[in-house]
Amino acid sequence: MEKAKAISNKAVKITDGFWKEKIELIKNEVIPYQWSALNDEIDGAAKSCCLRNFRLAAEAIKKRKQGISTPVYAVDKWEYTPDNSEPESFMGWVFQDSDLYKWLEAVGYILQNENNAELEALADGAIELICNAQETDGYLNTLYTINNPALRFTNLRDHHELYCFGHLAEAAVSYYEATGKQALLNCACRYADLICREFGEEGKAGYDGHEIAEMALIKLFKATGSDDYLKQAKLFIDRRGTKPYYFDIEQGKNRGNELYYEYNQAHLPVREQDSAVGHAVRAVYLYSGMADVAAETDEEKLLSACKRLFDSITNKRMYITGGIGSTRHGEAFTTDYHLPNDTAYAESCAAIGLTFFAHRMLKSDFNAKYADVMERCLYNGILSGMAEDGKAFFYTNPLELRPDEVKTDPDKSHIKTERQKWFGCACCPPNIARLISGIGGYCLSENESTLFINLYCSLEAETEFGKISIESDYLNSGRVKISVNAKKPFRLALRIPEWSKGFTFSRENPFIKNGYACFDIEGKDTLTAEFNPEIRIMRANSRVREDIGRVAITRGPLVYCLEEADNGSGLHLLRLSPHPKFEFDGGSIYANAYREEDGGSALYFEYKKPNERLQRVRFIPYYKWANRGEGEMQVYIRI
Ligand code: FUB
Ligand code: ZN
């Protein structure tokens, strides 16, 4: 297995351009905004109760330590609201704690690259609160601590205790790497140690209903060097899908239909799984953990399963935007080539999870296709989840929308016509924040001989081979300048983006392997690469019924869409002209299309060629849609 490791976010400084602007937005707008949301300070937004829960848990622990008994409340729901719960009990979704952890992880990534005493002080306060909500034996979950500690770890399938642990651990590593402060890392390790005792070789044969603990344990293993965490991650992976099903044991009953187990990817032992199934976020989080464990243990069988699952997703079950999850039912995958545009679930978190998975595959399988998928997700199905001002979010990311249908069709009730200020189930907004703030960690990787450039952000980085900087005009001209100051000779591998029709490098005859152009570098050196981000008319495989006879417009990594605001209503009436006469103005794409004229009032009538009129249409990047009020949107246009 040829291995590589990612160069960490801390070693990579994004210097300017598109992603620098996004990181600044996260730092200046999104992080403060989300802090207010977690504190329930945003008017008109769904309540989080996240910080409130931590405060209540800390108080309960304090009281119990003083010998004062605390009330017991039910632990029997996914969402606790003032209507279904006692006023002093836990509120929100069972996994509400994870929102604060994701926020802290994002703060950690920001602090890895700059000093910000105010932000650090805010985070330290939150960490103190988290530590106060931790039980003496390391357990940390506000739902159980507030409502009924005696019931902890009795419903791994649904109650997200290991999921919340996973987010705690990821936040802890990010914050520790940023500040060197141990408090949150110690807190996460104490919880990890409890989990290793409870679910280790000698313990209960459980694993999480919502995967993430696997990849989080690997992060803790890397940060602390403790083998126990690697062993536990592998145990969780090895156990999943083996019989008798742990979820049956804990629930005291069999679910009757094997299909139910697919929701948690627990239908088969993971090494036997071929198709991506079930809840999409869970799936890609599991596969990310599998890819991590395969890389740490050099296990070919596990890696082969990861490769099959990656191909299952990206060759048959992924939207052109990098979105995954074709149905709202179970927020899940369905079947191959079933990619409906207007009922798509395509949760922001799922595209984020696919990015995690692709990123981890690069550790063991040197192939540009993984970075291509990261890029597809990042520029499209992830960024679309956030408004341009960083203060509103999409949970689901359809590729086509008519506001009147969304409002009247219960099958589309998961879709919103405009981004929301916050959600009761707010998994996506802080997930977007942590991904973008840490994007530096996705750009480069290295092994003993080679430095790989996976994403072309403008950056400066410290690597094993010396300093590297990238000046990127990737989105606009496709031109990228790379300067290195090498401490020792090495090979530089530049990913050739799959969208680039042709490319030129300032040095001739690169050796091309697995989609990377490789150059031998010594001393101070500068290389330029010119990729070709020309406008492309893309189609889907003809097995995708919804897209037959339709095309999507892309330029470079960006997928484009039509909006009512630019093109009028009735976007379905448009078809791209065979002579579109594309024009790119640095942001939008203009093209000729024909608009079918109103066919009168009859619902059905005998066919005759419809009248059409020429219309110049405007396409905007998909991620920017719905920033100008409510209206129709369409990625695919008839051709
Ligand atoms: O269950 C935790 C998160 O909430 C999932 O990842 C999302 O799909 C949402 O259901
Ligand atoms: Zn989400």
Side-chain angles (χ1 to χ4, degrees), residues 82-244:
D83 293 336
N84 67 18
S85 306
E86 306 289 327
E88 290 304 305
S89 67
F90 175 91
M91 291 289 163
W93 288 73
V94 287
F95 45 83
Q96 216 73 347
D97 294 1
S98 60
D99 295 342
L100 178 58
Y101 301 146
K102 287 183 204 170
W103 180 86
L104 272 169
E105 188 181 339
V107 171
Y109 293 136
I110 295 293
L111 296 179
Q112 285 178 13
N113 276 307
E114 68 174 65
N115 293 326
N116 186 326
E118 202 184 322
L119 189 57
E120 193 169 328
L122 192 63
D124 285 341
I127 290 169
E128 197 182 332
L129 180 58
I130 293 169
C131 294
N132 289 340
Q134 182 165 40
E135 307 267 9
T136 323
D137 65 356
Y139 183 81
L140 181 41
N141 184 287
T142 67
L143 166 60
Y144 283 91
T145 291
I146 298 168
N147 281 18
N148 191 348
L151 293 180
R152 71 189 196 181
F153 295 140
T154 53
N155 187 352
L156 291 195
R157 191 189 72 191
D158 302 328
H159 282 184
H160 290 68
E161 287 155 288
L162 297 179
Y163 170 87
C164 289
F165 154 74
H167 279 296
L168 166 67
E170 299 216 3
V173 172
S174 166
Y175 200 71
Y176 170 69
E177 284 176 357
T179 61
K181 291 180 181 167
Q182 299 264 359
L184 196 63
L185 187 66
N186 289 343
C187 167
C189 288
R190 289 179 58 220
Y191 195 10
D193 294 341
L194 172 73
I195 288 168
C196 292
R197 290 196 297 277
E198 196 93 8
F199 299 103
E201 297 270 18
E202 312 297 324
K204 291 191 232 161
Y207 46 91
D208 46 347
H210 193 314
E211 303 89 328
I212 187 183
E214 301 80 356
M215 61 172 150
L217 281 162
I218 297 297
K219 281 199 181 172
L220 270 193
F221 159 65
K222 298 290 243 182
T224 64
S226 166
D227 279 345
D228 289 350
Y229 303 149
L230 170 60
K231 276 190 209 141
Q232 190 61 47
K234 184 167 178 306
L235 261 183
F236 282 149
I237 280 170
D238 292 349
R239 285 174 183 157
R240 183 171 296 274
T242 56
K243 290 185 178 166

Side-chain angles (χ1 to χ4, degrees), residues 18-19 22 25-26 321 348 351-352 376-388 392-394 397 419 432 435-436 439 475 558 621-625 627:
F18 187 86
W19 289 107
K22 301 289 172 226
L25 181 73
I26 299 289
T321 54
S348 306
I352 291 170
R376 182 184 292 282
C377 296
L378 279 162
Y379 282 99
N380 302 291
I382 295 174
L383 263 193
S384 59
M386 183 171 70
E388 293 205 287
F393 305 89
F394 274 141
N397 295 276
R419 291 180 185 79
I432 296 171
L435 183 77
I436 295 177
I439 196 173
L475 282 187
L558 294 173
Y622 169 74
Y623 78 84
K624 283 175 176 260
W625 84 276
N627 275 289

Side-chain angles (χ1 to χ4, degrees), residues 126-373:
I127 290 169
E128 197 182 332
L129 180 58
I130 293 169
C131 294
N132 289 340
Q134 182 165 40
E135 307 267 9
T136 323
D137 65 356
Y139 183 81
L140 181 41
N141 184 287
T142 67
L143 166 60
Y144 283 91
T145 291
I146 298 168
N147 281 18
N148 191 348
L151 293 180
R152 71 189 196 181
F153 295 140
T154 53
N155 187 352
L156 291 195
R157 191 189 72 191
D158 302 328
H159 282 184
H160 290 68
E161 287 155 288
L162 297 179
Y163 170 87
C164 289
F165 154 74
H167 279 296
L168 166 67
E170 299 216 3
V173 172
S174 166
Y175 200 71
Y176 170 69
E177 284 176 357
T179 61
K181 291 180 181 167
Q182 299 264 359
L184 196 63
L185 187 66
N186 289 343
C187 167
C189 288
R190 289 179 58 220
Y191 195 10
D193 294 341
L194 172 73
I195 288 168
C196 292
R197 290 196 297 277
E198 196 93 8
F199 299 103
E201 297 270 18
E202 312 297 324
K204 291 191 232 161
Y207 46 91
D208 46 347
H210 193 314
E211 303 89 328
I212 187 183
E214 301 80 356
M215 61 172 150
L217 281 162
I218 297 297
K219 281 199 181 172
L220 270 193
F221 159 65
K222 298 290 243 182
T224 64
S226 166
D227 279 345
D228 289 350
Y229 303 149
L230 170 60
K231 276 190 209 141
Q232 190 61 47
K234 184 167 178 306
L235 261 183
F236 282 149
I237 280 170
D238 292 349
R239 285 174 183 157
R240 183 171 296 274
T242 56
K243 290 185 178 166
Y245 291 123
Y246 182 77
F247 298 145
D248 290 350
I249 300 171
E250 74 175 3
Q251 302 282 325
K253 58 174 187 251
N254 183 285
R255 301 179 82 187
N257 185 339
E258 293 278 311
L259 280 178
Y260 287 126
Y261 300 86
E262 289 193 355
Y263 175 80
N264 308 89
Q265 299 73 43
H267 55 301
L268 278 175
V270 300
R271 290 170 185 77
E272 293 167 32
Q273 299 190 16
D274 296 321
S275 293
V277 295
H279 184 274
V281 183
R282 293 172 199 239
V284 280
Y285 280 20
L286 166 67
Y287 310 152
S288 302
M290 287 164 58
D292 271 343
V293 170
E296 294 306 324
T297 58
D298 284 330
E299 195 202 309
E300 288 290 349
K301 199 169 175 195
L302 193 54
L303 181 63
S304 300
C306 292
K307 289 181 184 172
R308 290 195 304 275
L309 291 162
F310 187 85
D311 289 345
S312 158
I313 297 175
T314 57
N315 296 340
K316 296 173 183 163
R317 298 185 175 200
M318 178 183 74
Y319 288 94
I320 194 169
T321 54
I324 50 173
S326 300
T327 177
R328 64 188 281 253
H329 299 286
E331 309 177 302
F333 290 104
T334 54
T335 189
D336 290 347
Y337 306 108
H338 178 233
L339 295 164
N341 295 305
D342 60 348
T343 53
Y345 204 76
E347 181 179 341
S348 306
C349 286
I352 291 170
L354 180 55
T355 306
F356 295 159
F357 181 27
H359 187 221
R360 282 158 173 83
M361 289 304 286
L362 282 170
K363 294 202 273 192
S364 316
D365 192 17
F366 156 57
N367 194 313
K369 69 180 181 181
Y370 301 114
D372 284 329
V373 166

